[in-house]
């Protein structure tokens, strides 16, 4: 368990930083990660997570970039299943990130492969991955998050940080793992634990592809 979980918070951090470095050249969003206001942080996280996954799954113009993007997508989101038409389905986990402080109003919903029919598009180079369809993110109000948190059709896993500072501190604690954060009471995880391990595996894969 300990070997799988460390990548979960680190994966979030790396995805956010990827979005900042590659999708925020004018630094409009970077300030959001250094401020404690929950709504600003939630909106910044939603944008940056989508940008980060968009970069990782963008096939670009080079064969090497296309191969890396396709490999990342297949290893993390393609599931072989002989019981479905075509023999494959896609990982469609729904992760809700919140804090334990209602006044923070910090809630982000992450949905992987929400519309499988949109995952590929036709381009002049042939069929390619659609980087905009890999993940959907949305900042929610406290009321919206409360309404869906315990609905298994809308949320599979809830990652609840102590407060906004616990999220922001991830940037300063690159080696902190989930077990350590749990022991320090900085994060709580509830829901379907199968998705916890899957999300951890995706986080580890993000780390690996960025370090290559």
């Amino acid at each position: 368990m300990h070997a799988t979980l460390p990548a979960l918070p680190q994966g979030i951090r790396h995805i956010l930083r990827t979005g900042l470095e590659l999708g925020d050249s004018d630094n409009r969003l970077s300030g959001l990660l250094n401020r404690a206001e929950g709504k600003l942080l939630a909106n910044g996280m939603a944008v940056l997570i989508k940008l980060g996954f968009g970069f990782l799954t963008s096939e670009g113009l080079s064969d090497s970039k296309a191969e890396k993007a396709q490999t990342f997508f297949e290893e993390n989101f393609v599931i072989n299943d002989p019981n479905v038409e075509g023999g494959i389905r896609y990982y469609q986990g729904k992760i809700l990130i919140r804090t334990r402080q209602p006044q923070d109003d910090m809630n982000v919903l992450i949905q992987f492969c929400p519309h499988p029919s949109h995952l590929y598009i036709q381009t002049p180079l042939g069929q390619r991955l659609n980087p905009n369809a890999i993940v959907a993110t949305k900042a929610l109000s406290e009321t919206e998050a409360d309404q869906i948190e315990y609905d298994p059709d809308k949320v599979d896993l809830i990652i609840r940080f102590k407060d906004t500072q616990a999220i922001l501190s991830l940037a300063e604690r690159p080696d902190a793992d989930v077990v350590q954060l749990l022991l320090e009471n900085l994060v709580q995880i509830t829901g379907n634990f199968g998705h916890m391990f899957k999300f951890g595996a995706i986080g580890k894969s993000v780390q690996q592809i960025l370090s290559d």
Side-chain angles (χ1 to χ4, degrees):
M1 177 171 166
H2 193 279
T4 304
L5 296 183
L8 197 154
Q10 292 176 1
I12 294 174
R13 184 179 68 86
H14 280 291
I15 293 165
L16 292 175
R17 288 301 171 190
T18 300
L20 278 174
E21 293 169 6
L22 299 158
D24 188 29
S25 58
D26 57 2
N27 294 318
R28 286 182 301 136
L29 294 172
S30 59
L32 298 180
L33 292 186
N34 297 314
R35 300 177 63 179
E37 291 89 340
K39 287 184 179 180
L40 288 173
L41 179 59
N43 280 284
M45 285 183 66
V47 171
L48 295 174
I49 288 172
K50 187 169 182 66
L51 284 172
F53 274 103
F55 168 75
L56 293 173
T57 55
S58 174
E59 297 195 34
L61 298 177
S62 69
D63 291 339
S64 61
K65 181 67 170 70
E67 182 179 355
K68 181 177 289 188
Q70 187 65 42
T71 298
F72 174 79
F73 176 71
E74 291 180 356
E75 290 181 349
N76 290 284
F77 301 106
V78 176
I79 301 170
N80 294 314
D81 187 345
N83 296 315
V84 301
E85 184 178 355
I88 64 169
R89 57 186 176 87
Y90 302 96
Y91 175 63
Q92 294 184 278
K94 299 172 288 293
I95 315 297
L96 179 61
I97 300 176
R98 309 189 67 179
T99 72
R100 298 203 298 267
Q101 308 295 330
Q103 64 269 25
D104 286 344
D105 204 11
M106 208 314 296
N107 310 281
V108 180
L109 179 64
I110 306 169
Q111 298 172 284
F112 293 108
C113 304
H115 304 291
S117 62
H118 298 169
L119 289 172
Y120 288 92
I121 55 176
Q122 289 296 329
T123 75
L125 299 176
Q127 182 172 270
R128 292 268 179 157
L129 277 172
N130 178 5
N132 294 318
I134 308 302
V135 64
T137 58
K138 184 179 181 181
L140 305 176
S141 68
E142 285 293 313
T143 299
E144 291 173 321
D146 287 342
Q147 289 174 343
I148 68 171
E149 180 172 354
Y150 298 106
D151 186 341
D153 292 326
K154 296 182 178 179
V155 175
D156 297 304
L157 184 72
I158 303 97
I159 302 172
R160 192 186 295 273
F161 288 89
K162 178 182 178 181
D163 50 30
T164 56
Q165 286 302 317
I167 297 173
L168 295 168
S169 69
L170 292 179
E172 301 172 357
R173 302 177 60 184
D175 298 323
D177 61 34
V178 167
V179 173
Q180 183 177 351
L181 296 176
L182 288 170
L183 291 174
E184 295 176 10
N185 199 31
L186 294 178
V187 68
Q188 295 175 338
I189 301 175
T190 56
N192 185 325
F193 272 51
H195 290 275
M196 179 180 68
F197 289 104
K198 178 62 176 176
F199 195 41
I202 292 173
K204 187 173 182 62
S205 183
V206 168
Q207 288 179 262
Q208 289 175 338
I209 196 171
L210 292 177
S211 63
D212 288 345

